[in-house]
Amino acid sequence: MGAVTLREERQSITIDSPEIVAELCSEMRFLDRELLRVVLLNAKQHLIKVVTVSQGTVNESLAHPREIFKPVITHSAYSFVMVHNHPSGDATPSEADIRLTRRINEASRILDLKFTDHVIIGTPAPSRAPYFSFKEGGVIG
């Protein structure tokens, strides 16, 4: 009974802001390796599932677009958010992060999939934000 209740609670979560994504994946800030996940959403922006796509190194997460799109298509998600962490704590995107985001954005258009955002999880500190949103940053529309 407990597992069913937990699943129902998670599925009722509406993912409509990068803050909610950052909170949903907040444990990623404690990891010592980069991890790339996709947050799968239905048409009402309710959570379907969070899937880990790849585990990288201390400063790089290697992911091919096909690994990113596979769970989106398999779970028939209406839209998705990419999420990865920076073990350094600084959520500022690297050039590789920007290139990957642009590739996924373009491929999403071609595949007619709704790519909502790419959120980088960092560590909260007085001088920096705890996350970076490519949508808020104007990289994706």
Side-chain angles (χ1 to χ4, degrees), residues 37-109:
R37 293 178 175 167
V38 288
V39 178
L40 307 173
L41 307 172
N42 68 19
K44 293 183 179 182
Q45 292 183 295
H46 290 169
L47 179 65
I48 296 170
K49 188 173 188 172
V50 179
V51 178
T52 299
V53 175
S54 77
Q55 181 173 344
T57 63
V58 174
N59 66 346
E60 185 176 36
S61 178
L62 305 171
H64 192 277
R66 73 175 151 256
E67 281 93 32
I68 293 165
F69 290 121
K70 183 178 180 181
V72 177
I73 294 166
T74 302
H75 293 282
S76 299
Y78 174 79
S79 64
F80 70 100
V81 177
M82 261 189 343
V83 184
H84 83 278
N85 63 307
H86 281 177
S88 69
D90 183 356
T92 304
S94 67
E95 283 301 316
D97 295 335
I98 294 167
R99 280 193 307 272
L100 176 63
T101 302
R102 288 185 173 144
R103 283 180 72 196
I104 296 304
N105 195 38
E106 181 60 29
S108 295
R109 277 198 282 266

